[in-house]
């Protein structure tokens, strides 16, 4: 196994994840098979309990792993399916070491960070790296490892030490270190400053790791003499100093790397030049250029709880982008804090209330994404009602589907207090209830997580057609509550149809309102499997409906073209 380690220096938020995945893309384009590992030095075992407000979305994998959103970048860029083990955290490592300690596996020895934690890290990396993630058999050729955080952080020290040992044990030809750094420009002098990078490389070297390549983030392209300085002071050949300057969209990054022959430097270090071909990146070039040249846009109202931080819904935003690009449109996302739509807000923050409603009315479609807790639920119900009554295309994802059931039960069935037990455990009309797959009383692990099958009940519905008339779909889940089977009969009689169900027939997975041009709710999260060149069927449906092209599209599809 060959490793490419990507570390970061100077500041966080440099786009290390995008850089690492782009390196993967370029190497993949050279004909190599790539896998990836993200190391998060935080103590959480996984991202499952982390707030999207603070850390961005929790990405969900096929195997039910709740992981850092960077894994989403890897899946989208490399078109792979990762496992929960591809996200290594301090919490996971300590948990495994402590479990071994309790079992007495260390035979009376003092258990220490070095060597026990560092050994566990190395073992974990080596065993995860060989898991095939691209649908083929056998291990990949190269494993790209991204070390989260910034070099010098206290919590990343054991990882740095373990990676140093790994680099030594796998040998020179099998290890390539790319250090991502920042080249700031000071306003007054206008000069590209190399000192922060020098310091962070020095820090890395003091810890026993020498970067083979530098990936320098900057606003403008690097000047030749900045590169020379970096090369001289950081001990990195000029040809290995890459520059990732600001680009109009992230799909340019693999192209930028290829244009600077990053692949040649990396392949040379890894002694892979003989095996690799010239990188074929036509698809990326086309996507990046198409995106740059889009002129028309479509307004999408995203009504959610965590709208302050766009990373909270990163995969939803990406899925919208993929769908829009497929329709030659630029997504124009209008973020609406659901609570601003509520009547209370009209009294307390009238301006925000008025703006939220105006934004909603100006949108071509409405999307209510997943979420937990009751904040903003009333506003989401109002948004779903608005979309249903005004025949505005609506896509409700997970919580968004449950919202549409509550709204329909209240407005159409006249069950005024209909609710989900998540928000009101005493409601007389629990249309959404706690339905764990395991035991109801068993503590923990009550979330329904990961890929599950949804069977279409009829081919004669929009969603089935969008999914190319497949008999079933496999999408990823992350929820505890579900539509109450006792209400299905009456909801369906009144027009809300559950066209997708799980294999037992008890869990409602897809709903549609056939009298509406596009009113779709799904209990799963289609955003996690959307890919740049393969947009999610449902997001595509939403955008097509928002721009009046859905019928024609479905018609064309029916005719087999
Ligand atoms: N809170 C809801 C549930 O647990 C919805 C979850 C979600 O939207 N991911 O079922």
């Amino acid at each position: 196994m060959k490793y490419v380690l990507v570390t970061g220096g100077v500041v966080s938020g440099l786009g290390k994840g995008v850089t690492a995945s782009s390196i993967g893309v370029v190497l993949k384009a050279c004909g190599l098979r790539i896998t990836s590992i993200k190391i998060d030095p935080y103590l959480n075992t996984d991202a499952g309990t982390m707030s999207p407000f603070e850390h961005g979305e929790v990405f969900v994998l096929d195997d039910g792993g709740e992981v850092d959103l960077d894994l989403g970048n890897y899946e989208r860029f490399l078109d792979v399916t990762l496992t929960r083990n591809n996200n290594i955290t301090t919490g996971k490592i300590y948990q495994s070491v402590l479990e071994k300690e309790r079992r007495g596996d260390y035979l009376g020895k003092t258990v220490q960070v070095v060597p026990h934690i560092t050994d566990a890290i190395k073992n974990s990396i080596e065993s995860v790296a060989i898991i095939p993630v691209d649908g083929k058999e056998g291990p990949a050729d190269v494993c790209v490892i991204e070390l989260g955080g910034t070099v010098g952080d206290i919590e990343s020290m054991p990882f740095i030490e373990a990676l140093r040992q790994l680099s030594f044990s796998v040998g020179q030809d099998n290890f390539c270190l790319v250090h991502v750094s920042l080249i700031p420009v000071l306003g007054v002098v206008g000069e590209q400053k190399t000192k922060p990078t020098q310091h962070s490389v020095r820090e890395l070297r003091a810890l026993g790791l020498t970067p083979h390549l530098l990936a320098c983030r900057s606003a403008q392209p690097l000047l030749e003499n900045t590169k020379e300085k970096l090369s001289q002071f950081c001990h990195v050949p000029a040809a290995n100093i890459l520059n990732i300057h600001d680009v109009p969209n992230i799909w340019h990054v693999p192209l930028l790397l290829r244009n600077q022959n990053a692949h040649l430097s990396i392949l040379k270090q890894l002694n892979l030049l003989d095996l690799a071909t010239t990188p074929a990146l036509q698809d990326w070039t086309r996507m990046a250029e198409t995106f740059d040249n889009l002129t028309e846009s479509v307004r999408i109202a995203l009504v959610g709880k965590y709208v302050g931080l766009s990373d909270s819904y990163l995969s939803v935003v990406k899925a919208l982008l993929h769908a829009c690009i497929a329709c030659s449109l630029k997504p124009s996302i209008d973020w609406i804090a659901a609570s601003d739509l509520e009547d209370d807000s009209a009294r307390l923050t009238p301006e925000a209330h008025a703006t939220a409603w105006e934004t909603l009315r100006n949108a071509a479609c409405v999307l209510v994404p997943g979420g937990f807790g009751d904040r903003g639920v009333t506003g989401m119900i109002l948004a779903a009602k608005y979309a249903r009554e005004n025949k505005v295309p609506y896509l409700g994802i997970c919580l968004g589907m449950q919202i549409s059931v509550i709204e329909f039960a209240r407005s159409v069935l006249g069950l005024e207090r209909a609710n989900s037990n998540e928000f009101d455990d005493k409601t007389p009309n629990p249309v959404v209830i706690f339905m764990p797959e395991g035991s109801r009383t068993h503590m923990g692990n009550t979330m329904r997580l990961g890929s599950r099958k949804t069977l279409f009940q009829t081919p004669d519905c929009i969603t089935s057609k969008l999914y190319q008339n497949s008999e079933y779909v496999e999408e990823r889940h992350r929820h505890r509550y579900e539509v109450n089977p006792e209400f299905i009969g009456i909801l369906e009689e009144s027009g809300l149809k559950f066209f997708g169900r799980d294999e037992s027939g008890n869990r409602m997975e897809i709903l549609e309102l056939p009298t509406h041009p596009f009113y779709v709710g799904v209990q799963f999260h289609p955003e996690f499997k959307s890919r740049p060149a393969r947009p999610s069927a449902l997001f595509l449906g939403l955008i097509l409906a928002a721009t009046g092209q859905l019928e024609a599209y479905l018609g064309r599809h029916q005719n087999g073209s």
Side-chain angles (χ1 to χ4, degrees):
M1 175 61 59
K2 310 257 178 189
Y3 296 95
V4 175
L5 170 63
V6 180
T7 56
V10 185
V11 288
S12 59
L14 279 178
K16 214 171 350 121
V18 172
T19 308
S21 10
S22 301
I23 288 175
V25 168
V26 181
L27 296 179
K28 184 178 170 186
C30 292
L32 298 168
R33 287 177 56 210
I34 311 294
T35 180
S36 76
I37 295 178
K38 169 82 197 289
I39 297 178
D40 283 306
Y42 46 66
L43 275 167
N44 306 58
T45 316
D46 61 31
T49 56
M50 297 171 83
S51 160
F53 276 128
E54 203 176 303
H55 204 80
E57 85 178 355
V58 176
F59 191 78
V60 181
L61 299 169
D62 262 2
D63 68 4
E66 298 174 277
V67 294
D68 192 86
L69 53 78
D70 274 319
L71 285 256
N73 271 333
Y74 290 113
E75 284 208 343
R76 285 186 285 266
F77 267 52
L78 300 173
D79 200 8
V80 291
T81 303
L82 299 172
T83 72
R84 65 176 75 234
N85 295 329
N86 292 71
N87 194 187
I88 299 178
T89 69
T90 298
K92 270 185 196 160
I93 297 290
Y94 270 77
Q95 197 169 38
S96 71
V97 170
L98 292 175
E99 271 166 17
K100 275 172 89 176
E101 187 273 336
R102 289 292 82 188
R103 278 202 308 264
D105 289 3
Y106 294 111
L107 306 173
K109 288 232 163 55
T110 310
V111 183
Q112 296 182 294
V113 173
V114 181
H116 302 103
I117 294 292
T118 45
D119 280 353
I121 295 171
K122 275 189 296 177
N123 291 340
S124 175
I125 292 175
E126 289 186 298
S127 56
V128 176
I130 54 173
I131 304 174
V133 295
D134 55 0
K136 299 192 181 124
E137 274 181 31
D141 301 305
V142 178
C143 174
V144 177
I145 306 173
E146 177 193 349
L147 175 61
T150 307
V151 168
D153 293 347
I154 291 180
E155 55 184 13
S156 60
M157 286 302 180
F159 290 101
I160 297 262
E161 171 58 14
L163 290 158
R164 183 195 65 74
Q165 292 181 19
L166 182 79
S167 74
F168 186 66
S169 65
V170 297
Q172 284 237 359
D173 282 359
N174 298 316
F175 193 84
C176 178
L177 172 52
V178 183
H179 187 57
V180 185
S181 181
L182 174 73
I183 306 292
V185 168
L186 283 196
V188 194
V189 223
E191 192 189 345
Q192 294 180 327
K193 294 293 190 186
T194 63
K195 195 69 111 207
T197 305
Q198 293 180 39
H199 279 299
S200 97
V201 169
R202 193 174 302 160
E203 180 133 33
L204 204 52
R205 289 166 64 86
L207 298 168
L209 282 168
T210 303
H212 302 103
L213 284 90
L214 292 182
C216 300
R217 291 281 291 110
S218 60
Q220 298 297 325
L222 281 194
L223 302 172
E224 246 351 276
N225 91 354
T226 314
K227 274 196 184 177
E228 275 164 30
K229 252 195 201 167
L230 284 167
S231 170
Q232 212 163 35
F233 296 127
C234 299
H235 208 79
V236 173
N240 290 5
I241 296 182
L242 311 171
N243 179 208
I244 305 178
H245 53 78
D246 291 353
V247 282
N249 69 67
I250 59 168
W251 293 334
H252 281 283
V253 179
L255 307 175
L256 209 57
L257 292 174
R258 189 263 328 258
N259 295 348
Q260 296 173 59
N261 286 326
H263 55 292
L264 293 182
S265 303
I266 297 172
L267 295 170
K268 196 162 145 206
Q269 174 63 31
L270 296 176
N271 201 9
L272 278 175
L273 277 172
D274 293 347
L275 212 79
T277 56
T278 319
L281 284 170
Q282 291 86 336
D283 286 357
W284 288 83
T285 314
R286 193 175 29 77
M287 281 188 321
E289 284 172 3
T290 310
F291 190 4
D292 287 348
N293 296 321
L294 294 176
T295 46
E296 308 250 315
S297 61
V298 51
R299 295 187 74 164
I300 306 142
L302 206 149
V303 184
K305 174 178 166 186
Y306 319 102
V307 291
L309 178 70
S310 62
D311 271 6
S312 307
Y313 299 113
L314 187 70
S315 295
V316 170
V317 171
K318 296 291 177 195
L320 284 170
L321 175 66
H322 303 158
C324 284
I325 300 269
C327 301
S328 301
L329 290 164
K330 224 189 223 156
S332 161
I333 301 180
D334 292 322
W335 299 87
I336 301 177
S339 48
D340 286 347
L341 294 169
E342 298 171 4
D343 294 348
D344 279 355
S345 147
R347 273 188 298 112
L348 302 170
T349 47
E351 257 179 51
H353 180 263
T355 314
W357 274 100
E358 197 189 319
T359 313
L360 185 65
R361 289 197 185 99
N362 284 332
C365 59
V366 178
L367 193 156
V368 178
F372 294 82
D374 62 359
R375 172 143 45 119
V377 160
T378 308
M380 294 175 204
I381 294 176
L382 290 169
K385 184 176 169 70
Y386 164 82
R388 184 178 57 77
E389 292 181 343
N390 294 284
K391 303 229 184 286
V392 177
Y394 175 90
L395 179 60
I397 296 176
C398 207
L399 176 63
M401 165 177 173
Q402 299 170 1
I403 291 289
S404 56
V405 172
I406 301 171
E407 192 281 314
F408 192 86
R410 288 185 186 178
S411 310
V412 181
L413 304 186
L415 306 173
E416 270 170 40
R417 289 187 53 202
N419 214 332
S420 160
N421 276 153
E422 182 179 5
F423 317 126
D424 178 1
D425 54 8
K426 301 201 175 56
T427 166
N429 309 113
V431 287
V432 177
I433 54 167
F434 181 43
M435 252 171 81
E437 277 178 333
S439 146
R440 232 167 209 281
T441 47
H442 192 77
M443 296 290 284
N445 292 338
T446 49
M447 190 98 87
R448 191 160 177 253
L449 277 170
S451 185
R452 297 283 187 286
K453 239 183 209 173
T454 295
L455 308 180
F456 284 106
Q457 308 298 301
T458 164
D460 195 18
C461 60
I462 292 178
T463 44
S464 159
K465 290 177 193 154
L466 282 170
Y467 276 109
Q468 324 261 333
N469 297 319
S470 339
E471 277 171 29
Y472 65 89
V473 285
E474 284 178 303
E475 295 276 14
R476 298 177 184 175
H477 295 246
R478 182 173 185 249
H479 60 107
R480 286 194 182 86
Y481 295 83
E482 312 222 12
V483 183
N484 187 346
E486 286 177 14
F487 284 84
I488 302 306
I490 155 169
L491 286 165
E492 288 214 315
E493 271 165 35
S494 307
L496 194 65
K497 303 286 186 194
F498 295 91
F499 288 142
R501 304 186 182 192
D502 79 333
E503 285 164 299
S504 74
N506 286 327
R507 295 171 192 275
M508 301 303 122
E509 307 278 21
I510 300 176
L511 68 76
E512 279 186 39
L513 201 56
T515 52
H516 188 287
F518 188 90
Y519 191 87
V520 174
V522 284
Q523 194 55 77
F524 48 77
H525 291 267
E527 68 271 26
F528 293 134
K529 284 174 75 167
S530 179
R531 298 283 189 268
R534 250 184 301 123
S536 154
L538 300 177
F539 281 80
L540 186 64
L542 179 71
I543 300 301
L544 288 168
T547 49
Q549 305 177 69
L550 181 64
E551 248 175 77
Y553 173 88
L554 294 180
R556 272 203 310 277
H557 188 73
Q558 288 299 80
N559 298 336
S561 59

